[in-house]
Amino acid sequence: MTLSRLRYAEFALWVGYVSAVVVLVLAMLSLVFGDGLITLKYALFVVGFLLFGVGTFGIQPTPHGRGPVSRLFGMSVEGDQAFGFEQRIHTLPPLAGTHLPREACVSRDVKVFVTSLVLLGVSILLEVGLGVTAG
């Protein structure tokens, strides 16, 4: 497999894995502490919206200024260390048995941004597609 295909496979697995885990955790919490699907829909919206903000600030170009406003909007989830689940993702096919260097992967900021869109999409699907509405 070429490097670009491995890169996009890792990107799709990362976004899918994180989205599935967030939906499952929020579904369990909404069943235990809330009203089921309606609580899940709102929780997905809130978490998706928060991740959208983090991802949006992360994908912006690095500010050149050193003022307090520039530092405020210069947040990112990038880092040198791999998260535990990222190491597990590299054991799944089609990445199993291959080496994809960290610098060749899609940025975590982009992954967080796309994950937020997936979560917001699931929230909309619950409302529009399945008719989960309040009242």
Side-chain angles (χ1 to χ4, degrees):
M1 219 176 192
T2 64
L3 185 63
S4 64
R5 287 187 186 201
L6 286 174
R7 180 179 183 194
Y8 291 118
E10 189 267 344
F11 170 75
L13 287 172
W14 197 100
V15 170
Y17 185 88
V18 172
S19 298
V21 167
V22 169
V23 169
L24 288 174
V25 167
L26 290 178
M28 287 188 296
L29 290 173
S30 66
L31 286 173
V32 172
F33 298 111
D35 294 333
L37 289 178
I38 190 75
T39 305
L40 175 62
K41 180 187 79 151
Y42 287 125
L44 284 170
F45 177 78
V46 169
V47 172
F49 189 74
L50 291 173
L51 289 177
F52 183 84
V54 170
T56 300
F57 284 125
I59 62 177
Q60 296 298 315
T62 305
H64 296 292
R66 293 286 182 196
V69 175
S70 296
R71 286 193 304 263
L72 174 67
F73 294 111
M75 67 172 61
S76 175
V77 292
E78 286 296 320
D80 296 334
Q81 298 295 325
F83 296 142
F85 73 91
E86 289 177 331
Q87 295 168 349
R88 285 190 295 276
I89 286 174
H90 284 272
T91 63
L92 300 172
L95 299 175
T98 62
H99 175 68
L100 185 63
R102 174 85 180 98
E103 58 274 357
C105 294
V106 176
S107 163
R108 268 192 207 140
D109 294 321
V110 173
K111 293 174 190 174
V112 168
F113 181 77
V114 173
T115 301
S116 75
L117 297 178
V118 170
L119 296 178
L120 290 171
V122 172
S123 177
I124 289 174
L125 177 68
L126 284 172
E127 183 167 352
V128 176
L130 301 178
V132 177
T133 57

